[in-house]
Coordinates of all heavy atoms in Angstrom, one line a residue:
A66 N -76.0 27.7 3.3 CA -75.7 27.0 4.6 C -77.0 26.9 5.4 O -77.3 25.8 6.0 CB -74.7 27.8 5.3
V67 N -77.8 28.0 5.5 CA -79.0 27.9 6.2 C -80.0 26.9 5.6 O -80.7 26.2 6.3 CB -79.7 29.3 6.3 CG1 -81.1 29.3 6.9 CG2 -78.8 30.2 7.2
F68 N -80.0 26.9 4.2 CA -80.9 26.0 3.5 C -80.5 24.5 3.9 O -81.4 23.7 4.1 CB -80.7 26.2 2.0 CG -81.6 25.2 1.2 CD1 -82.9 25.5 1.0 CD2 -81.0 24.1 0.6 CE1 -83.7 24.6 0.3 CE2 -81.8 23.3 -0.2 CZ -83.2 23.5 -0.3
G69 N -79.2 24.2 4.0 CA -78.8 22.9 4.3 C -79.0 22.5 5.8 O -79.3 21.4 6.1
L70 N -78.8 23.5 6.7 CA -78.9 23.2 8.1 C -80.3 23.3 8.7 O -80.6 22.7 9.6 CB -78.0 24.2 8.9 CG -76.5 24.0 8.6 CD1 -75.7 25.2 9.2 CD2 -76.0 22.7 9.0
R71 N -81.1 24.2 8.1 CA -82.4 24.5 8.7 C -83.6 24.1 7.7 O -84.7 24.6 7.9 CB -82.6 26.0 9.0 CG -81.5 26.6 9.8 CD -81.8 26.6 11.3 NE -80.9 27.4 12.1 CZ -79.8 26.9 12.6 NH1 -79.5 25.7 12.5 NH2 -79.1 27.7 13.3
A72 N -83.3 23.2 6.8 CA -84.4 22.9 5.8 C -85.6 22.3 6.4 O -86.7 22.5 5.9 CB -83.8 21.9 4.7
K73 N -85.4 21.6 7.5 CA -86.6 20.9 8.2 C -87.3 21.9 9.1 O -88.5 21.7 9.4 CB -86.1 19.7 8.9 CG -85.6 18.6 8.0 CD -85.2 17.4 8.8 CE -84.9 16.3 7.8 NZ -83.6 15.7 7.9
D74 N -86.6 22.9 9.6 CA -87.2 23.9 10.5 C -88.0 25.0 9.8 O -88.9 25.5 10.4 CB -86.2 24.5 11.4 CG -85.4 23.5 12.2 OD1 -85.9 22.4 12.4 OD2 -84.2 23.8 12.6
M75 N -87.6 25.3 8.6 CA -88.2 26.5 7.9 C -88.6 26.1 6.5 O -88.2 25.1 6.0 CB -87.1 27.6 7.8 CG -86.6 28.1 9.2 SD -85.3 29.3 9.1 CE -86.1 30.6 8.2
S76 N -89.3 27.0 5.9 CA -89.8 26.8 4.5 C -88.6 26.9 3.6 O -87.9 27.9 3.6 CB -90.8 27.8 4.2 OG -91.1 27.8 2.8
Q77 N -88.3 25.9 2.8 CA -87.2 25.9 1.9 C -87.3 27.0 0.8 O -86.3 27.7 0.6 CB -87.0 24.5 1.2 CG -86.6 23.5 2.2 CD -86.6 22.1 1.5 OE1 -87.0 21.9 0.4 NE2 -86.0 21.1 2.3
P78 N -88.4 27.2 0.2 CA -88.5 28.3 -0.8 C -88.3 29.7 -0.1 O -87.7 30.6 -0.7 CB -89.9 28.2 -1.3 CG -90.3 26.8 -1.1 CD -89.6 26.4 0.2
L79 N -88.8 29.8 1.1 CA -88.6 31.1 1.8 C -87.1 31.4 2.1 O -86.7 32.5 1.9 CB -89.4 31.1 3.1 CG -89.2 32.4 4.0 CD1 -89.8 33.6 3.3 CD2 -89.9 32.1 5.4
I80 N -86.4 30.4 2.5 CA -85.0 30.5 2.7 C -84.3 31.0 1.5 O -83.5 31.9 1.4 CB -84.3 29.2 3.3 CG1 -84.9 28.9 4.6 CG2 -82.8 29.3 3.3 CD1 -84.5 27.5 5.1
L81 N -84.5 30.3 0.4 CA -83.8 30.6 -0.9 C -84.2 31.9 -1.4 O -83.3 32.7 -1.9 CB -84.2 29.5 -1.9 CG -83.5 28.1 -1.7 CD1 -84.0 27.1 -2.7 CD2 -82.0 28.2 -1.6
V82 N -85.5 32.3 -1.4 CA -85.9 33.6 -2.0 C -85.4 34.7 -1.1 O -84.8 35.7 -1.7 CB -87.5 33.6 -2.0 CG1 -87.9 35.0 -2.3 CG2 -88.0 32.7 -3.1
A83 N -85.4 34.6 0.2 CA -84.9 35.7 1.1 C -83.4 35.9 0.8 O -82.9 37.0 0.7 CB -85.2 35.3 2.5
G84 N -82.7 34.8 0.8 CA -81.2 34.9 0.6 C -80.8 35.5 -0.8 O -79.9 36.3 -0.9
I85 N -81.5 35.0 -1.8 CA -81.2 35.5 -3.2 C -81.6 37.0 -3.3 O -80.9 37.8 -3.9 CB -81.9 34.6 -4.2 CG1 -81.2 33.2 -4.2 CG2 -81.8 35.3 -5.6 CD1 -81.9 32.2 -5.1
V86 N -82.7 37.3 -2.7 CA -83.2 38.8 -2.7 C -82.1 39.6 -2.0 O -81.8 40.7 -2.4 CB -84.6 38.9 -2.1 CG1 -84.9 40.4 -1.8 CG2 -85.6 38.3 -3.1
L87 N -81.7 39.2 -0.8 CA -80.7 39.9 -0.1 C -79.4 40.1 -0.9 O -78.8 41.2 -1.0 CB -80.4 39.2 1.3 CG -79.3 39.9 2.1 CD1 -79.6 41.3 2.4 CD2 -79.0 39.1 3.4
S88 N -79.0 39.0 -1.6 CA -77.8 39.1 -2.4 C -78.0 40.1 -3.6 O -77.1 40.9 -3.9 CB -77.5 37.7 -3.0 OG -77.1 36.8 -2.0
I89 N -79.1 40.1 -4.2 CA -79.4 41.0 -5.3 C -79.5 42.5 -4.7 O -79.0 43.4 -5.4 CB -80.7 40.6 -6.0 CG1 -80.5 39.3 -6.7 CG2 -81.2 41.7 -6.9 CD1 -81.8 38.7 -7.3
V90 N -80.1 42.7 -3.6 CA -80.1 44.0 -3.0 C -78.7 44.5 -2.7 O -78.4 45.7 -2.9 CB -81.0 44.0 -1.7 CG1 -80.9 45.3 -1.0 CG2 -82.5 43.8 -2.1
L91 N -77.9 43.6 -2.1 CA -76.5 44.0 -1.8 C -75.7 44.4 -3.1 O -75.0 45.5 -3.1 CB -75.8 42.9 -1.1 CG -76.1 42.7 0.4 CD1 -75.7 41.4 0.9 CD2 -75.5 43.8 1.2
I92 N -75.9 43.7 -4.2 CA -75.2 44.0 -5.4 C -75.8 45.3 -6.0 O -75.1 46.2 -6.5 CB -75.4 42.9 -6.4 CG1 -74.4 41.7 -6.1 CG2 -75.1 43.3 -7.9 CD1 -73.0 42.0 -6.3
S93 N -77.1 45.5 -5.9 CA -77.8 46.7 -6.5 C -77.4 47.9 -5.7 O -77.4 49.0 -6.2 CB -79.3 46.5 -6.4 OG -79.7 45.4 -7.2
A94 N -77.1 47.8 -4.4 CA -76.8 48.9 -3.5 C -75.5 49.5 -4.0 O -75.2 50.7 -3.7 CB -76.7 48.5 -2.1
C95 N -74.6 48.8 -4.7 CA -73.4 49.4 -5.2 C -73.7 50.6 -6.1 O -72.9 51.5 -6.2 CB -72.6 48.3 -6.0 SG -72.0 47.0 -5.0
A96 N -74.8 50.5 -6.8 CA -75.1 51.6 -7.8 C -75.5 52.9 -7.0 O -75.5 54.0 -7.6 CB -76.3 51.2 -8.7

Side-chain angles (χ1 to χ4, degrees):
V67 170
F68 180 79
L70 296 172
R71 308 262 192 271
K73 294 183 174 127
D74 302 339
M75 301 174 64
S76 167
Q77 293 176 350
L79 178 65
I80 294 170
L81 290 176
V82 169
I85 291 171
V86 166
L87 178 59
S88 295
I89 291 171
V90 169
L91 284 162
I92 286 290
S93 300
C95 294

